[in-house]
Amino acid sequence: MPRQTFTRRRWLAAIVGGVTAGCGGRSATADATSSPRAATTEPPVTTTASSDPVGAQDANPSFEQGSGACSLGAASIADGTWPMTHRDPSGTNAAPAVNGPTAFPLNERWTMSALDAQVTFPVADDQFVYLVAADADADPSVPQSAVLCHDPRLTGEIQWRHRIDATPIGPPVVAGSAVYVPFGTQDDARIVAIDRAEGSLVTTYDLPGRFVGELASAGPSLMIPTQQAYRVVDARTGDHCWSFTPNRVREADRRDRNIRAAAVGDGVAYVGTGYPDGDQATESGHLYAVDPSVGGVRWQASLDGPVGRLAVSDGVVVATTGHGLVGFGAETGERRWSAPAEAGVRPATLAVADGTAVYGTRRTLHGLDTASGTERWSLPFGVHGDVIFVGDVLFGVGRSDPTTNRLSLAAVDAASGTQRWRQEIYDPIVDVMAANGYLYAITTDGSLFAFGSV
């Protein structure tokens, strides 16, 4: 791929070095560090029976009300930003055209290398990019990571770094004035909140349960999926607001309803479940619409396989399973359509915008009408990771020829499925996002690329 001149910088080697001006315009404290956990106490919890307008009351208490006060009132996501993994709590993977380049060809503007470190998915506010780099060669008993703030206007210059003696177990989330990152192990996790202007520690709180998935935010709420419970806390304090435990739903067999995906729309959390990964019995899944305003489940639906991804758009909840896609009415849970796939659906691939839902298989990229489930277009492109919308352009990494190992970065017209641009790449790119006018990509060998229009 043609490249402009750039300087490769060594992230992990710079963890103990000095820092420049802080993100947000204030001075940063050099190498802020946090190792011990802050003392936290789990607030008392009261239990209320869940309400289900389309079914009977739960026999077991699946909804727990906490002492914290927060809601799922999602503030609109500012243009130019990508504050969480799928950009918004609705899981759409969609951003306006201002977020990234939409004129082709694209060219590499700058690259930062973490020297074979493990890096998380990057997120961004309207000025800066945040991600976590973990030293893959560190002693397991003393893991080392750094939360990094980059200024894309200064060719990715690091503005601050915050060292953590722990391993990240998920990507960061930008919410309010902080960056939130899960650290530890899946069975022993904690959330670290870091001031995004200065890189200093704000607070740390423990997470009960086995952490799965990714953090998300909606208004004052931080949504934390664990294997057994979908937990909502006050992002400012860590106070437990409420949680939903699918395996406590009436007639659940205590194993088949482990949480695998979640999304939020209009104050309602949509939670998808299935057997744990690797379990032999995988042919069942469930979808729940959990409304904290009524203290329980508004509706629930059974699926023919565990849920892979969820997205909410234009009054439709789109769910992927291993067999295809299903669309439900967000308000009532009515199954509006079902679209079986000719091959196994890539569970991590889903983007929804402007009435089109895009998913991928090992050989093909598909665009469906979200109102009817009918196929609008298909493209011979075996997607390698996720796909994202930037205005009317769909970006993804994959293979046009399934017999080759060579990957391409491709741009596709979202309405027609026509390929606008494609470039073979020689770096192991695994995920992309768009913010600040750039298309960002991370690689398996610890690099962050920023692409722009020529």
Side-chain angles (χ1 to χ4, degrees), residues 260 273 282-285 303-309 319-326 339-349 359-362:
R260 297 172 61 96
T273 70
T282 60
E283 295 305 311
S284 67
L303 301 173
D304 62 356
V307 175
R309 277 281 305 282
T320 70
T321 70
H323 306 292
L325 270 65
V326 185
E342 84 286 353
V345 175
R346 296 289 194 189
T349 303
Y359 74 97
T361 68
R362 191 175 67 87

Side-chain angles (χ1 to χ4, degrees), residues 71-431:
S71 68
L72 297 181
S76 59
I77 305 299
D79 290 354
T81 71
W82 198 287
M84 62 196 79
T85 307
H86 302 301
R87 188 172 186 264
D88 53 45
S90 298
T92 63
N93 262 346
V98 69
N99 269 53
T102 54
F104 305 103
L106 300 186
N107 201 1
E108 182 184 317
R109 295 299 180 87
W110 54 263
T111 301
M112 301 291 285
S113 176
L115 295 178
D116 296 321
Q118 298 171 347
V119 296
T120 66
F121 185 88
V123 297
D125 57 21
D126 58 349
Q127 299 183 70
F128 303 102
V129 181
Y130 309 87
L131 79 166
V132 187
D135 188 350
D137 296 325
D139 185 338
S141 63
V142 189
Q144 291 186 2
S145 302
V147 183
L148 304 173
C149 171
H150 300 274
D151 188 338
R153 300 160 299 183
L154 300 175
T155 63
E157 187 74 37
I158 295 177
Q159 299 300 289
W160 58 252
R161 58 186 64 76
H162 184 101
R163 176 177 168 178
I164 304 287
D165 291 335
T167 302
I169 53 174
V173 165
V174 173
S177 61
V179 179
Y180 297 85
V181 188
F183 281 97
T185 65
Q186 287 186 316
D187 293 312
D188 185 21
R190 70 186 189 267
I191 306 298
V192 177
I194 301 167
D195 186 289
R196 60 188 171 111
E198 298 180 345
S200 57
L201 179 67
V202 176
T203 188
T204 301
Y205 47 88
D206 291 342
L207 173 61
R210 181 174 174 81
F211 180 81
V212 295
E214 300 105 2
L215 299 176
S217 67
S221 301
L222 192 66
M223 290 83 78
I224 308 171
T226 66
Q227 191 175 78
Q228 297 296 324
Y230 179 81
R231 190 173 188 84
V232 179
V233 304
D234 188 314
R236 301 155 294 189
T237 64
D239 289 342
H240 173 219
C241 296
W242 60 268
S243 58
F244 169 66
T245 307
N247 278 323
R248 292 180 183 170
V249 173
R250 178 176 53 86
E251 296 180 355
D253 76 357
R254 305 282 177 175
R255 278 185 55 77
D256 70 339
R257 304 187 189 190
N258 291 329
I259 293 174
R260 297 172 61 96
V264 171
D266 294 327
V268 176
Y270 299 92
V271 180
T273 70
Y275 277 92
D277 287 334
D279 196 296
Q280 294 297 317
T282 60
E283 295 305 311
S284 67
H286 297 84
L287 177 61
Y288 300 93
V290 186
D291 187 346
S293 69
V294 301
V297 178
R298 277 199 174 274
W299 55 263
Q300 56 184 287
S302 297
L303 301 173
D304 62 356
V307 175
R309 277 281 305 282
L310 290 171
V312 187
S313 180
D314 298 326
V316 178
V317 182
V318 179
T320 70
T321 70
H323 306 292
L325 270 65
V326 185
F328 296 90
E331 184 68 25
T332 64
E334 172 193 4
R335 185 184 292 242
R336 295 187 176 179
W337 52 265
S338 179
E342 84 286 353
V345 175
R346 296 289 194 189
T349 303
L350 179 65
V352 180
D354 298 327
T356 301
V358 176
Y359 74 97
T361 68
R362 191 175 67 87
R363 294 178 178 271
T364 312
L365 199 61
H366 299 267
L368 303 183
D369 184 288
T370 56
S372 64
T374 56
E375 185 169 278
R376 289 182 170 179
W377 53 262
S378 65
L379 181 70
F381 188 78
V383 66
H384 184 62
D386 213 342
V387 291
I388 65 170
F389 283 108
V390 182
D392 61 355
V393 178
L394 183 81
F395 287 100
V397 175
R399 298 182 178 90
S400 297
D401 181 357
T403 64
T404 180
N405 289 326
R406 293 182 178 179
L407 294 175
S408 296
L409 175 61
V412 177
D413 182 84
S416 66
T418 303
Q419 187 171 273
R420 292 190 182 182
W421 173 83
R422 183 174 67 87
Q423 175 67 56
E424 190 170 287
I425 57 178
Y426 299 93
D427 297 281
I429 292 176
V430 290
D431 263 318

